[in-house]
Amino acid sequence: MKKLVTVFCTSILLLTGCIPSLEKEGEVVQEDAVDEENKTTGIIPSYNISDDYYKTILPFESSPARGMVVSNLNTRVDMDEFEQGLMRIAKTKYSTEDYLFRGGQYISRDLVSAWLKRKYTDEQAQAAGVEPEDNIGLNPPLVAGDDPHKANKNSPIYLAHIMEHNYLKRVDDETVELGGVVIGLALNSVHYYQTEQYGTTYNTNIDPDVLVQEGKKIAAEVLTRLRGMEELSKVPITIALFKQEKRNSVVPGNFIAYTHVGQGESNIKEWTNVNEDYVLFPSNDAMESHREDATTFLNFQTDVESYFPDFNGVVGKAFYVNDELNSIDIDINIQFNGEAEVIGFTQYVAGLVMKYFGEELKVEVNVLSVSGPEALIVKDRKADEPYVYIY
């Protein structure tokens, strides 16, 4: 616990101590690639909590489509993973040392909404009074027929959301410019639909192979449209495909592929497959696909549950990269009976974390009660001991 408190206090001192000098030492000019006279001044913070994270220019520029992800994705865990995973993919091209993060500035809220719609057939567009230039939906048209269920199954909504991130690079010590754009396309693994307004919601699973095929077709069209924007006609663009989970899932979906398109290029040449997956512990899926890790977790769970007679449960969310366990987040729910019990229990669990999980694995444990968070345990890779914090 002392370690965590010390690190926290040091961070505060560094942040507050550096603020006065940031304006002098970190001031840069952002240049516009199209209009050289359109320049804005920003500040780059000199302090970075980790090399794993991008710095941002102050004041922070939020995306005009900010917040839309909340209504467009199925779960909070999908929302978090969509953005965090998109940054992981960005780092394959844009290093945290050489690039700065900025919220996407080129795809507006209205444009996102328009692109997420179904495209009309010519007859549908004429009947609805939609002009060709406004008929820009990226999802397939729903062809009306005698059976609305068959129509939805044959033409599901593939594209659920579009997210844009911008990455700025230094031109010199005092100037930065747009160095790359990263686009995330969130795709549905399940299509939910209604056959009448305010009626029953039905669902149909989307074939994974079809989803990848359709996602790549959508990506090609998105690239064409981005290249049609003067500001993005030459900048490098990365497009990544994310498959979101069903609505009641407790684990998030995952990225399945991405492509880098070089400066000025207008065609996608190749895709890189992403082998990532989230697995719930304990579960039948975990035991079938990762038996050794699932058994280790069950042993950890058994030891944790032996501490309290009125224990409520242990749940883990494991993250796999190339079929190797990369990290695991664990929630432990307890019945709160006083601070002393929480301290003793947390110390016990910290010892179990070091006992059961290898040094190459990052582990985060949240101890919770009906009152809220009670304790946090974090074991970083190759750490000799975990950081522990009692709330």
Side-chain angles (χ1 to χ4, degrees), residues 37 42-43 46 58 82 103 132-133 146 210-211 219 254 259 284 333:
E37 295 183 358
I43 299 168
S46 63
L58 304 177
F82 186 36
E133 61 269 21
D146 295 332
V210 173
L211 188 65
N254 55 278
T259 182
N284 292 332
N333 291 282

Side-chain angles (χ1 to χ4, degrees), residues 162-177:
I162 301 170
M163 181 173 288
E164 175 197 355
H165 287 171
N166 295 163
Y167 292 90
L168 308 176
K169 66 177 181 180
R170 287 184 180 272
V171 177
D172 51 46
D173 290 342
E174 298 180 350
T175 311
V176 295
E177 66 180 10

